[in-house]
């Protein structure tokens, strides 16, 4: 697998604060993989299939609740791992549910990261066993809740999108970009109470139990403009 592997490393725009471990990891990648490309922007969508593995530098990012829509879309068709992460800035459950194959934290050694990457390339997940168990139980519970809703010819996603009003879609779109209720109210020139009403209706229509689930739903099924670039 090593001899034919191409890796894309999405780095933060500034390279001034890269640690020695970070630089050593890059040297290891260059030494063992046939192609390693480093850039602060992802390749064009038409070219993303050229790479076997994507490493996303999450330094400075806060992805505890929501993931960038661009990252969610990338993980649907490609092997994606997060590295250089801070423990209190990412949620392993959310990463797993959105198709991410592994996460490596800032304090991990280049050797440990490289070993984990090889496991991912061989089809394994690189998460704690506890996180994998949590996600398995979560998905099993979701399947159990929906096991009797399979008789409709139209998918739930299509029904949800068609049933949402234009204003509800606008509220969801802003929420998925991290906007608070007050931010949404000011952006749409409506009251906080009206925002809550629209959110309550959206929760019901999308079977979401909270803001995080609704935002993740939106990032999967709506065109949510939320990039990987640090704000």
């Amino acid at each position: 697998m090593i001899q034919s592997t191409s890796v894309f490393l999405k780095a933060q725009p500034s390279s001034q604060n890269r640690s020695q471990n970070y630089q050593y990891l890059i040297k290891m990648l260059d030494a063992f993989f046939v192609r390693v490309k480093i850039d602060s922007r992802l390749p064009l969508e038409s070219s993303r299939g050229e790479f076997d593995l994507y490493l996303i530098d999450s330094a400075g990012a806060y992805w505890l609740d929501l993931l960038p829509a661009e990252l969610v879309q990338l993980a649907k068709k490609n092997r994606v791992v997060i590295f250089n992460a801070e423990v209190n800035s990412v949620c392993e459950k959310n990463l797993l549910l959105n198709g991410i194959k592994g996460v490596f934290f800032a304090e991990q050694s280049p050797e440990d990261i490289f070993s984990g990457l090889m496991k991912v390339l061989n089809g394994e997940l690189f998460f704690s066993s506890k996180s994998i168990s949590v996600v398995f139980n979560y998905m099993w519970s979701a399947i159990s809740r929906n096991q009797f809703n399979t008789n409709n010819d139209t998918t739930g996603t299509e029904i949800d999108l068609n049933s949402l009003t234009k204003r509800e879609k606008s509220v969801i779109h802003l929420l998925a970009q991290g906007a608070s209720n007050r931010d949404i109210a000011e952006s749409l020139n409506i009251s906080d109470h009206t925002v809550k009403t629209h959110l309550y209706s959206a929760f019901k229509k999308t079977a979401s139990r909270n803001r995080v689930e609704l935002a993740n739903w939106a990032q999967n099924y709506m065109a949510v403009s939320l990039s990987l670039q640090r704000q």
Side-chain angles (χ1 to χ4, degrees):
M1 193 68 185
I2 288 181
Q3 293 180 351
S4 61
T5 299
S6 297
V7 177
F8 188 97
L9 189 155
K10 185 191 177 302
Q12 294 294 349
S14 175
S15 61
Q16 296 178 353
N17 297 323
R18 291 180 184 172
S19 66
Q20 288 185 342
N21 279 348
Y22 194 119
Q23 296 174 25
Y24 182 52
L25 174 63
I26 292 175
K27 290 181 179 179
M28 291 182 70
L29 297 177
D30 282 330
F32 286 97
F33 295 127
V34 67
R35 181 187 179 195
V36 177
K37 181 174 177 60
I38 303 173
D39 202 327
S40 61
R41 293 185 178 275
L42 290 172
L44 296 175
E45 192 167 352
S46 59
S47 304
R48 293 180 183 179
E50 298 177 6
F51 296 94
D52 303 295
L53 181 67
Y54 283 83
L55 278 71
I56 308 298
D57 183 358
S58 65
Y62 184 81
W63 297 341
L64 196 60
D65 295 325
L66 305 180
L67 299 181
E70 190 177 20
L71 178 58
V72 174
Q73 294 302 317
L74 179 67
K76 286 184 176 181
K77 297 181 180 180
N78 304 274
R79 287 193 189 96
V80 177
V81 299
I82 306 300
F83 81 106
N84 209 22
E86 297 295 333
V87 174
N88 295 323
S89 296
V90 296
C91 172
E92 291 192 32
K93 176 185 173 183
N94 284 348
L95 295 178
L96 272 163
L97 288 173
N98 282 286
I100 307 301
K101 304 304 183 186
V103 59
F104 302 95
F105 296 96
E107 64 271 15
Q108 290 183 259
S109 70
E111 291 83 3
D112 287 344
I113 294 175
F114 186 82
S115 176
L117 293 179
M118 293 308 303
K119 291 181 179 180
V120 170
L121 287 168
N122 285 323
E124 299 181 38
L125 294 172
F126 198 86
F127 289 95
S128 67
S129 58
K130 178 180 179 181
S131 294
I132 293 175
S133 296
V134 167
V135 170
F136 177 84
N137 290 330
Y138 175 88
M139 295 180 68
W140 180 256
S141 176
I143 292 171
S144 297
R145 288 197 305 270
N146 297 316
Q147 62 181 333
F148 299 112
N149 297 328
T150 58
N151 294 326
N152 198 315
D153 293 332
T154 306
T155 66
T157 299
E158 291 171 342
I159 292 173
D160 293 334
L161 284 173
N162 292 333
S163 66
L164 290 168
T165 66
K166 183 177 180 180
R167 182 49 58 88
E168 287 168 352
K169 290 178 181 178
S170 297
V171 169
I172 295 172
H173 183 93
L174 291 169
L175 177 142
Q177 297 180 71
S180 66
N181 284 9
R182 178 173 295 182
D183 294 333
I184 295 172
E186 292 178 355
S187 178
L188 300 178
N189 195 28
I190 57 180
S191 68
D192 286 357
H193 176 75
T194 302
V195 171
K196 292 178 181 178
T197 300
H198 287 312
L199 284 176
Y200 177 75
S201 178
F203 286 154
K204 293 179 64 177
K205 292 178 180 179
T206 62
S208 299
R209 294 173 296 179
N210 51 53
R211 296 171 69 91
V212 172
E213 287 190 3
L214 180 59
N216 283 332
W217 179 91
Q219 290 178 356
N220 278 285
Y221 301 118
M222 290 176 63
V224 181
S225 178
L226 182 60
S227 77
L228 278 169
Q229 299 296 333
R230 271 197 299 180
Q231 301 300 317

